Amino acid sequence: MKSSHYHRKGFGLKDEVEPELIRAYESDLITEIKENGNCLERNGIFIKLADSFGFCWGVDRAVSMAYETRRHFPEKKIWITNEIIHNPLVNSHLKEMDVQFVEVDENGNKNLEGITDGDVVIVPAFGASVEEMELLQEKGCEIVDTTCPWVSRVWNRVVKYARSDFTAIIHGKYNHEETIATASRAQTYLIVENLAESRWVCDYILKGGDREEFLRRFEKATSSGFDPDIHLVRVGIANQTTMLKGETELIGKLFEKTMLSKYGPKVIDEHFFSPGDTICDATQERQDAMLLLVEDPLDLMIVIGGFNSSNTGHLKEIAEAKGIPAYHIDGARCIVSGEEILHLENSDADKHKQIPVVKRGWLPQGTDRKIRIGITAGASTPNQVVADVIEHILALKAEAQA
Ligand code: SF4
């Protein structure tokens, strides 16, 4: 095997890259709004920012490590296995720094063929699968691993389940990089995306059902050789760190109740294990802030984050559950005009998919009263992107008033 090197920390260049990161991703406007109690009133619009939004600690660290890596290896070919985080601005800056992005298909399969001996490979904040790490080591790469410690914590849990012969029930999206990486560490796993899927599985556990239908339904979301009649006898719960906390809790309780009904309280420890959720603190803070924000009287909510950002999508769900019109956009480019906005909507053709759609009439028009807009952003969205969106909305309104 060729020799690879593994870097889990930066290269001591944090102070050098810091000014560059501030220039690229921070914003004076956001600082001003924060100093004003997260509020801004201008041009007949009242903007209320969530108490907690945008870059989390893990993303900050991953982006900073990527910048340090470029400086530390100025001559080497550098790759990122997919994206460092789910944000188009950050990814475009890295491309400008001549960092190559590994292609990924819609099932999460990566094409690592272009990577050769001695190349530098940055593993993103959501981590990489066991197979991928082994392949990179075999290729003799310099591996810069920015996996967030919150993600490693989930991996530790599923490894523990595997040692005790428990199937990991992972609340997550089967094709999300983090969940793919987590599942690769489990011996047997089943990925459930939401409460409805969990109910279906729990019904199967209690009443049995059509085994073939089960396998068809969870074809992409189970470990190889998974048999629902064998592998749902001992289950432990884990989750993607960025899922909706409330839903993860309900799923944990549902499986616990199911195993209690089936096996009784005396032997429950042999059939069910869940030492609490593994939602990360940044996700929780952003969801809590959103729950608070939607208590305000808002006309609409703008949620900013990459279109493949899971935690951003869940923030939008909180506003929708409250009946507030909410738009998940990835930046100012999505605000086409005061009439049209490009945002993510559920696909009719595939329940697992959301697609960008132009929606008309998103901004209330022809009213003399103030329009109240709530704004938040997922953990991979820089302040600069949030500021651009706010400036764009204010400019549209100013134009309409002129
Ligand atoms: S969202 Fe959570 S798990 Fe993901 S990088 Fe940020 S802190 Fe880490």
Side-chain angles (χ1 to χ4, degrees):
M1 192 194 282
K2 293 171 188 157
S3 83
S4 71
H5 294 102
Y6 185 77
H7 309 271
R8 189 77 175 91
K9 291 184 179 153
F11 298 96
L13 301 169
K14 201 167 176 5
D15 290 347
E16 274 186 41
V17 298
E18 189 82 8
E20 213 176 324
L21 292 169
I22 291 174
R23 248 192 333 273
Y25 305 121
E26 283 305 330
S27 147
D28 291 343
L29 177 64
I30 297 300
T31 309
E32 183 194 324
I33 299 175
K34 282 185 178 171
E35 284 169 0
N36 193 36
N38 284 347
C39 303
L40 175 74
E41 196 174 331
R42 210 176 280 169
N43 307 347
I45 288 196
F46 178 80
I47 301 268
K48 181 79 200 272
L49 273 176
D51 287 343
S52 176
F53 65 92
F55 267 18
C56 61
W57 172 84
V59 162
D60 231 5
R61 173 177 166 276
V63 175
S64 172
M65 277 175 77
Y67 273 64
E68 284 191 44
T69 303
R70 182 71 281 178
R71 289 211 171 201
H72 188 74
F73 297 107
E75 305 296 335
K76 289 221 176 204
K77 192 162 193 178
I78 301 183
W79 296 84
I80 291 187
T81 60
N82 190 9
E83 302 180 322
I84 185 78
I85 56 169
H86 291 137
N87 182 268
L89 178 71
V90 179
N91 292 322
S92 76
H93 281 167
L94 289 169
K95 279 181 190 155
E96 284 163 17
M97 289 157 62
D98 201 21
V99 172
Q100 319 286 315
F101 283 59
V102 167
E103 280 174 28
V104 185
D105 70 19
E106 62 172 20
N107 290 321
N109 301 313
K110 295 178 187 171
N111 181 357
L112 301 174
E113 276 172 18
I115 299 174
T116 55
D117 186 5
D119 285 355
V120 179
V121 181
I122 303 173
V123 174
F126 5 81
S129 70
V130 172
E131 296 76 18
E132 194 179 315
M133 291 303 277
E134 283 170 1
L135 197 69
L136 295 175
Q137 275 160 7
E138 278 166 23
K139 280 178 181 269
C141 299
E142 296 274 354
I143 301 171
V144 180
D145 185 355
T146 78
T147 305
C148 179
W150 281 94
V151 175
S152 315
R153 195 169 147 243
V154 187
W155 295 351
N156 293 341
R157 181 173 295 190
V158 300
V159 167
K160 219 181 261 177
Y161 291 160
R163 284 198 196 119
S164 318
D165 248 346
F166 274 70
T167 291
I169 305 286
I170 305 170
H171 177 210
K173 294 182 178 156
Y174 73 86
N175 57 357
H176 189 282
E177 299 92 320
E178 184 192 315
T179 295
I180 292 171
T182 299
S184 76
R185 286 156 174 92
Q187 185 177 290
T188 46
Y189 66 82
L190 166 68
I191 300 165
V192 286
E193 189 170 337
N194 50 37
L195 195 54
E197 280 192 355
S198 306
R199 283 202 187 102
W200 197 91
V201 172
C202 286
D203 267 359
Y204 188 96
I205 293 173
L206 285 176
K207 303 175 199 153
D210 184 339
R211 181 176 170 277
E212 294 313 310
E213 188 190 346
F214 190 112
L215 293 175
R216 244 191 335 270
R217 194 171 174 143
F218 292 99
E219 188 189 358
K220 294 180 178 166
T222 43
S223 43
S224 145
F226 186 90
D227 186 334
D229 297 332
I230 296 172
H231 296 123
L232 291 174
V233 174
R234 287 160 69 79
V235 300
I237 309 290
N239 56 263
Q240 198 177 303
T241 52
T242 49
M243 299 307 275
L244 208 49
K245 185 180 166 65
E247 189 171 47
T248 285
E249 284 170 355
L250 289 174
I251 288 172
K253 283 190 184 127
L254 176 66
F255 273 94
E256 184 176 21
K257 203 168 138 210
T258 301
M259 300 315 261
L260 267 170
S261 296
K262 181 145 179 141
Y263 299 102
K266 274 193 192 154
V267 290
I268 187 67
D269 292 349
E270 289 170 30
H271 297 278
F272 178 76
F273 192 53
S274 177
D277 70 66
T278 46
I279 301 289
C280 78
D281 66 349
T283 298
Q284 191 171 332
E285 277 168 21
R286 279 148 192 73
Q287 290 178 5
D288 288 348
M290 186 69 174
L291 287 163
L292 208 64
L293 180 56
V294 297
E295 290 304 320
D296 278 15
L298 298 173
D299 290 300
L300 64 119
M301 191 67 223
I302 299 283
V303 186
I304 310 160
F307 280 161
N308 44 2
S309 162
S310 161
N311 74 87
T312 308
H314 293 310
L315 292 174
K316 182 181 121 173
E317 285 170 28
I318 294 174
E320 286 174 336
K322 196 75 186 169
I324 301 170
Y327 305 97
H328 176 174
I329 65 173
D330 70 4
R333 72 169 188 114
C334 293
I335 299 173
V336 184
S337 66
E339 183 59 23
E340 291 185 339
I341 192 166
L342 178 74
H343 79 130
L344 269 197
E345 259 183 31
N346 288 333
S347 154
D348 291 336
D350 182 347
K351 70 183 175 66
H352 291 290
K353 261 199 187 151
Q354 291 210 311
I355 48 170
V357 170
V358 173
K359 160 102 179 167
R360 294 182 64 80
W362 68 280
L363 188 63
Q365 306 281 348
T367 168
D368 288 339
R369 69 169 178 82
K370 257 182 311 194
I371 298 170
R372 299 178 64 92
I373 302 178
I375 294 194
T376 190
S380 45
T381 308
N383 283 349
Q384 183 61 61
V385 174
V386 180
D388 280 353
V389 168
I390 294 173
E391 276 166 357
H392 202 64
I393 294 172
L394 295 176
L396 280 179
K397 196 74 173 106
E399 267 171 37
Q401 286 168 340

